[in-house]
Amino acid sequence: MTSNTNGTSGSRVQVSVSKGDIRIAAPNVDLESLPDYLKKECLLFYYPDQEILAKKIAAASSSIQLSEVKWATFADGFPNLFVKDATRIRNRHVAFLASFQHPISIFEQLSIIYQLPRMFVGSFTVVLPYFPTGTAERVEAEGDVATAFTLARILSNIPLSRGGPASVVIFDIHALQERFYFGDTVLPLFESGIPLARKKLRSLPDADNITIAYPDEGSWKRFHYQFGDYPEVICTKVRDGDKRIVRLKEGEPRGRHVVIVDDLVQSGGTLRECQKLLSSQGALAVSAYVTHGVFPNDSWKRFTASSSSNGNGATDFKHFWITDSCPKTVQAVANQAPFEVISLAEPIAAALQI
């Protein structure tokens, strides 16, 4: 049994883990441990924005073949869609790789998602790496609309295939309780990008000097079990008049390479404030990992060298890792320091085998 205890002058965080503790490992499908007789061939359709990721998924497994949809529009702007080789998919395991990063594209993708199971396929899986309304999961005042529940209900009404309910694969949904928003007519499979992040951290030259930081208590609750073998720092947001200030709640960043972990980033304001705080507390370097780099309105530019606060032309973050769950962002940050994209292709390929 090992224990990491970190604290400042307040209460203390203690995480006790044993070797092989299942809580430190996300329950992703392990392709290597899957017997050959359980593996199956899959025909993978995809939205055009996801073409690069789809090709990586097919390259990751010889059991996956890419299939095509003709995406076009009528004169009035509504979708004109055609599933190529429709008779070839009968009695086959079929999947669709979706991207709901932009609301305007959701209707045409739902048209395909609702049609494929009705084409006599043997089984059907939707891969939705980023569940976009996950942060709208609560009703805090009468009149609030929890659109996370709305999207879950829409996906829960995917028609049955010959093999039964559709599977829906989602990575690092914002809150684990959102699994209960889905109905009994679909099988949600919640995967995580954290194993990829852990692999990346192990490859760093200073791998033995890593501390994990959480930007708020919600992030700590969401991910601390998966980093139970690392020293941890917890930040918190407190209100000062109309401002929300980030402060250090637990842990010691001094002399460490601190990696901030969260499920997604939008404007990036909280991450930037965390970086400033951790640097002021003596962190040798600050990096970040988020599974979903949403970055609306090109807010990723706030993390480049041109927006740096150190004045020496370097970025404030040593590394900023995101996955390829949001294809528009991946395209935008290509070759832009400090960003590095970690692909979800292998865990998606593995998930398509069940």
Side-chain angles (χ1 to χ4, degrees), residues 50 53 97-103 106 109 126-136 151 155 168-174 178 182 189-191 263-267 290-296 323-329 344 348:
Q50 293 283 35
L53 178 55
L97 177 60
S99 173
F100 287 5
Q101 187 175 2
H102 295 287
I106 293 178
Q109 292 181 77
V126 175
V127 181
L128 182 62
Y130 169 52
F131 187 81
T133 60
T135 54
L151 183 55
L155 293 173
V168 180
V169 180
I170 298 172
F171 281 80
D172 289 321
I173 198 166
H174 182 65
E178 292 177 42
F182 292 83
L189 176 63
F190 297 106
E191 298 280 276
D263 61 318
L264 61 85
V265 56
Q266 297 259 11
S267 68
V290 296
T291 300
H292 310 298
V294 185
F295 290 123
T323 75
D324 45 4
S325 65
C326 297
K328 294 293 187 183
T329 300
L344 296 174
I348 291 175

Side-chain angles (χ1 to χ4, degrees), residues 131-354:
F131 187 81
T133 60
T135 54
E137 85 282 14
R138 296 188 304 271
V139 174
E140 296 180 345
E142 202 62 45
D144 286 342
V145 178
T147 52
F149 183 52
T150 306
L151 183 55
R153 291 179 69 184
I154 291 172
L155 293 173
S156 296
N157 282 284
I158 297 172
L160 299 176
S161 68
R162 280 186 165 181
S167 299
V168 180
V169 180
I170 298 172
F171 281 80
D172 289 321
I173 198 166
H174 182 65
L176 287 177
Q177 64 265 26
E178 292 177 42
R179 69 178 64 218
F180 303 112
Y181 293 178
F182 292 83
D184 293 337
T185 53
V186 293
L187 302 173
L189 176 63
F190 297 106
E191 298 280 276
S192 179
I194 296 300
L196 300 174
R198 288 176 58 91
K199 182 179 179 181
K200 178 61 67 174
L201 295 182
R202 290 194 298 268
S203 71
L204 296 178
D206 58 351
D208 58 348
N209 194 43
I210 298 295
T211 288
I212 301 300
Y214 303 101
D216 52 39
E217 292 89 342
S219 177
W220 178 82
K221 290 178 182 178
R222 182 70 176 81
F223 293 116
H224 78 280
Y225 278 129
Q226 296 182 47
F227 289 101
D229 51 343
Y230 280 88
E232 296 179 332
V233 168
I234 304 175
C235 299
T236 187
K237 287 178 273 191
V238 297
R239 191 172 296 279
D240 183 8
D242 294 333
K243 298 180 181 179
R244 298 193 73 182
I245 301 173
V246 176
R247 291 181 179 171
L248 185 64
K249 180 181 180 182
E250 309 281 356
E252 177 55 72
R254 186 171 302 277
R256 307 286 292 182
H257 179 182
V258 183
V259 179
I260 306 170
V261 173
D262 210 349
D263 61 318
L264 61 85
V265 56
Q266 297 259 11
S267 68
T270 298
L271 288 183
R272 285 177 57 84
E273 291 303 312
C274 283
Q275 181 273 326
K276 293 176 184 178
L277 172 65
L278 294 168
S279 295
S280 72
Q281 294 291 319
L284 284 180
V286 179
S287 296
Y289 167 84
V290 296
T291 300
H292 310 298
V294 185
F295 290 123
N297 302 316
D298 291 335
S299 55
W300 59 268
K301 293 180 179 178
R302 302 176 68 184
F303 295 88
T304 60
S306 62
S307 299
S308 173
S309 61
N310 55 37
N312 61 6
T315 59
D316 292 328
F317 283 77
K318 185 174 184 178
H319 305 283
F320 199 128
W321 296 289
I322 63 174
T323 75
D324 45 4
S325 65
C326 297
K328 294 293 187 183
T329 300
V330 171
Q331 183 179 6
V333 303
N335 302 316
Q336 296 281 350
F339 292 102
E340 181 179 343
V341 178
I342 304 173
S343 183
L344 296 174
E346 290 189 2
I348 291 175
L352 291 177
Q353 294 300 311
I354 66 170

